[in-house]
Amino acid sequence: MTCASGSRKECATWLSAVVLLAACSAGCGDPDGYSPELRYPVRTDPIIVKPPTTETAVPDRPGVLPIMNMLALNAPNHPLHSMLKDGPPLDPSVLAPNDRAVLQTTMDELFGTPLVPRTAGPDAEFNLRLREELDQTDAKLATGSLLYRQHCLHCHGLAGDGRGPTAFWINPHPRDYRPGLYKFISISDPQGREMRASKEDLARTVRRGLDGTAMPAFSTLSDEELSAITAYVIHLSIRGEVELNSMKNFLTFPAGQRTWDNDKEMIQSWLPTSGDNWFSSQQGAVVTPKPYPKAYESEEGFAQSVKDGWDIFKTPGDKQGGDCLKCHTDYGRKAQFRYDAWGTMVRPADLTLGVYRGGRRPIDLYWRIHNGIAGSGMVRSPHFQPTTKDEIASGKDRLWSLVNFLQVLPYPAMREKYGIKID
Amino acid sequence: MHKFWAAVFGVIIVLCIALFVVAAFVPGWWLPKQVSTFGDAADRLFYMILWITTFFFVLTEALLVYNIWKFGDAKPGYKAPYVHGNHKLEVIWTIVPAGILVLISVLQIGTWEEIKYTKNFPRPDISVNQIVVVARQWEWRIRYPGPEEQKRWERDPKGPENWRKLAEFPFEDFGQYDDVHDVNAVHAWMMDERGAGRVLIHLKTRDVLHSFFLPHLRLKQDAVPGKVIPVWFAVNDWNTAYDEKSKTWVDGFNHNTGQFGDRNFIWDLACAEFCGSRHSMMKGRLYIHKDRADFNKWLDFQQKAQNARMPAAAE
Ligand SMILES: [Cu+2]
């Protein structure tokens, strides 16, 4: 035999081959998971207080996230420096080491690790709500975390920061969940308060994808898998918000001037706040459109509503119009890029393409106009719904007219049919 | 010592061949169920090539093992003779494989012609199921002529051809007003006796190279940026039905047993051209309906969902 005959080299080759094979097969059998030591890292990237208001014809360069360079704006001679009226971007990397340590341990206690994620509230009642209203059960989060690792992490990042390895190369950049803002939602607060997203909204986004962006459709996942992923996205979002708010506190109040006594309690106190934001964004808050006007069912009625919609679209705001052209320049064909709430860039959609990120159904377009598109600068416009007696009596609905117009707009044959000229 | 190596090689080769034989009997290890009209011809070519290569594999490996066994153990101090080559032998082992390659290339012409020649593509008419498939990183966006459009075709025989033209030009076209949109799911119906139900796909990509691969149909076609590539197929079997529980059409329906969830009746659509980090997950499904009536029911259903004006109907 080889080894017996004393040829040590050959023996070593054989042994290493066997070991390699064994290692490979062990690796294959492992359902790729996280190591127990891995913790969610405490954030280091800049926090945008308010993005600079400026417009450009071209988006940011591939391979960079504009937000990562935002700290440069703090230099007084930077061309965009004067835009920072609401305060300069904050830099978490300068956080004092002991503050960072408190943040890390407290966050670990509240949210677990990627292998064993949890959302642990201050009391049993709150935890029950987390479980019942937001599916934050340990089992769901553990499954969700694995699925997230497999399907989403390379874009949305380990902590849901939208900074996975792929993120730098695609535009629009993947969503950073930490501010808790979502664009394509069915919910809206009558007082105009900022909302999160309903579980159904997130599940719809994951199932159908966001057409026209890099966010693909995960339609072959089962309903259980989708609900686990959704729960995990909410987990990351709550975690991110708690971290964001605590970090802001640490950075705006230097040691010695703090308005709280106990760091740990300060951090913990953000969890119920964030949780409440999510509770109030669930089912009850879904916007049900006003019934579609009977008159629009007929061919003439529809044609009239398309014309009305076109008028509203073009008319400036001071004349009770929608002022949509203000941002969607030339129906979006010449729209400019601007910074959004995440510090990345967004362009008002080209509405002549018939490609809608948030979905093409009339209800989707209705929600977009009614609820606005959070973070992008497109504000909510519920006032187009008929509310006064006269408006209701007229049998017209300006919001539905806008939707009808938008649905016709991309198709040359339809534009001709309804007499819409956009060139 | 060298006898040992001869034995190792011999055993490994025998094991490899044994594995091959076993694979044919283990579910999921061999070719998936074949359901297209041209798939049998493609499979025959596959088996032909498999047998030819198996024969030569076994032959060459046997020669190798034999030679190591026979001539490996040389006496100490023995110097191997330097053999320049054998002209006749080299001519033979060049001509014979070349002949075999030519034979294979001739034998496959008929099958290739059936699947890929444009003259064999279905002409767009009302019996043909036209679909636009747009690949992008990393999903399949699918578009069908809507129910109203298909009704118009009954009056206007040029309609299907016009729809095809619109699908091809302009390239960046996102369809017509009443098209039905879907993602990661190709729906068609089983071809009937009169040949209605052949599928004509207009394949595009919005970014990089992808490849439209339906393993159960033995069909593969690259999607090339800037081109609209026609692809056709017809299916001999079906795998989807309306499921009362999920309130939609579900695949994996075995019509022999009447049960859902049969692996053999889940027909994947995969991307077969490396296209980026999520390439391996760029997957969809093929849904083949029992007949056109069932397909039309689904198309109506899908269009209603797409035209939803109220949240309840939407989710
Ligand atoms: Cu691909």
Side-chain angles (χ1 to χ4, degrees), chain A residues 2 10 14 150-151 154 204 208 210-211 213 216-219 289 292 353 360-363 407 411 414, chain B residues 4-5 136 139 141 174-177 181-184 206 277-278 281 305-310 314-315:
Chain A
T2 328
E10 261 174 79
W14 268 98
Q150 197 182 352
H151 295 291
H154 73 97
R204 184 181 334 101
R208 309 299 299 172
L210 302 176
D211 198 4
T213 80
F218 295 87
S219 49
Y292 187 69
L353 290 180
R360 60 185 321 111
R361 300 172 306 168
I363 177 82
Q407 288 212 294
Y411 306 99
M414 300 303 277
Chain B
F4 167 74
W5 287 113
R136 65 186 204 94
E139 62 183 4
R141 291 268 159 192
F174 296 102
Q176 295 194 45
Y177 176 71
H181 297 250
D182 202 351
V183 57
N184 292 348
R206 239 187 256 172
S277 50
R278 274 191 60 79
M281 294 180 209
Q306 185 174 306
N307 289 341
R309 293 203 177 99
M310 288 296 149
E315 301 309 327

Side-chain angles (χ1 to χ4, degrees), chain B residues 276-293:
Chain B
S277 50
R278 274 191 60 79
H279 159 68
S280 63
M281 294 180 209
M282 182 167 167
K283 275 194 193 159
R285 296 276 189 77
L286 178 66
Y287 293 76
I288 302 295
H289 296 255
K290 178 164 152 245
D291 49 27
R292 187 172 199 161

Side-chain angles (χ1 to χ4, degrees), chain A residues 256-309:
Chain A
Q257 303 171 22
R258 299 216 156 134
T259 53
W260 62 89
D261 305 323
N262 185 324
D263 289 340
K264 198 168 167 169
E265 279 168 15
M266 181 279 287
I267 299 167
Q268 283 167 340
S269 71
W270 283 112
L271 178 52
T273 315
S274 177
D276 282 341
N277 285 339
W278 278 94
F279 294 145
S280 59
S281 297
Q282 297 313 304
Q283 265 302 315
V286 170
V287 172
T288 310
K290 293 261 156 33
Y292 187 69
K294 279 266 167 336
Y296 295 177
E297 308 266 7
S298 74
E299 190 47 44
E300 308 86 72
F302 184 80
Q304 188 55 45
S305 85
V306 170
K307 280 229 173 61
D308 292 347

Side-chain angles (χ1 to χ4, degrees), chain A residues 66-188:
Chain A
I67 184 172
M68 302 304 254
N69 300 337
M70 288 270 173
L71 289 175
L73 267 62
N74 288 340
N77 58 353
H78 193 282
L80 297 181
H81 183 73
S82 58
M83 304 282 184
L84 296 172
K85 296 203 182 65
D86 297 86
L90 303 173
D91 183 5
S93 64
V94 303
L95 196 68
N98 54 327
D99 288 344
R100 182 168 289 275
V102 177
L103 197 53
Q104 178 86 58
T105 43
T106 317
M107 293 294 287
D108 287 354
E109 279 164 26
L110 290 176
F111 299 101
T113 62
L115 182 65
V116 194
R118 59 156 181 263
T119 316
D123 55 61
E125 192 201 348
F126 184 79
N127 284 340
L128 186 69
R129 285 191 80 188
L130 281 174
R131 284 201 298 278
E132 299 212 319
E133 295 173 36
L134 301 174
D135 295 343
Q136 303 289 300
T137 61
D138 290 352
K140 268 223 162 130
L141 292 180
T143 337
S145 175
L146 273 186
L147 288 164
Y148 181 88
R149 175 189 158 102
Q150 197 182 352
H151 295 291
C152 328
L153 186 142
H154 73 97
C155 279
H156 288 283
L158 176 65
D161 53 6
R163 315 237 189 295
T166 310
F168 297 81
W169 300 97
I170 53 185
N171 214 330
H173 299 286
R175 180 74 60 258
D176 172 0
Y177 305 140
R178 295 170 303 177
L181 281 181
Y182 294 89
K183 282 181 183 173
F184 307 110
I185 50 177
S186 60
I187 52 180
S188 180

